[in-house]
Amino acid sequence: MTYNLVAKNIGVDSGLILLSDKDFYGKDHQPIGSKYQKMFVVEPGEYVLNWTINNTMMGDLKGSGIINIISGRLVVSDPCYIVLEDKWDELLNITNYFENTPEGTIVLNQMGGDGVYDVGMVLEKINL
């Protein structure tokens, strides 16, 4: 199973974009709709995810990682917009300001600054 997806106009205010399962946020997920996040329906499972972001302050970027989608919903967002305000500091402390990537997620933080970005993604399911 392979998905080719583009999350357009992802706003960044904390210097990073998090690719994660919707359940990563649990009850701490702000129901803000598509303004600050893009959500994609994918078959639950573990995926190799190759990503690209063009036209950043640091040039065109690409990378890859392993992501685990349990709920069947992939969320692409700057987490500062969608984590409940009273939980943001806790999340920053737990992840050491996202220097420690939460298991099953992918952190994109090489853009060189805040802005609005399109994130291209190719997901390839592991162990079909």
Side-chain angles (χ1 to χ4, degrees):
M1 175 75 51
T2 300
Y3 296 92
N4 289 294
L5 307 170
V6 178
K8 292 192 172 279
N9 301 315
I10 300 298
V12 174
D13 189 46
S14 72
L16 64 96
I17 296 171
L18 183 67
L19 310 179
S20 69
D21 186 277
K22 180 184 178 297
D23 288 350
F24 170 79
Y25 295 100
K27 294 184 174 119
D28 299 332
H29 185 257
Q30 188 86 312
I32 58 171
S34 63
K35 184 174 180 182
Y36 295 106
Q37 67 180 341
K38 300 296 184 241
M39 192 175 310
F40 299 94
V41 175
V42 299
E43 183 177 299
E46 191 173 44
Y47 292 87
V48 172
L49 188 149
N50 293 293
W51 59 268
T52 58
I53 303 176
N54 294 327
N55 303 315
T56 75
M57 292 162 81
M58 304 304 285
D60 295 346
L61 303 172
K62 64 181 177 178
S64 65
I66 304 292
I67 192 165
N68 195 7
I69 305 298
I70 297 167
S71 72
R73 300 219 175 349
L74 166 65
V75 175
V76 180
S77 180
D78 180 334
C80 81
Y81 290 125
I82 60 177
V83 171
L84 294 176
E85 189 174 328
D86 63 335
K87 298 292 184 177
W88 180 237
D89 287 339
E90 180 182 338
L91 182 58
L92 290 175
N93 288 330
I94 289 169
T95 62
N96 191 29
Y97 291 80
F98 286 92
E99 290 297 317
N100 302 325
T101 301
E103 187 174 342
T105 71
I106 299 173
V107 174
L108 312 181
N109 60 359
Q110 303 88 8
M111 290 84 69
D114 299 336
V116 178
Y117 303 100
D118 292 345
V119 182
M121 298 168 289
V122 176
L123 288 84
E124 202 166 314
K125 194 166 186 188
I126 300 171
N127 299 325
L128 296 173

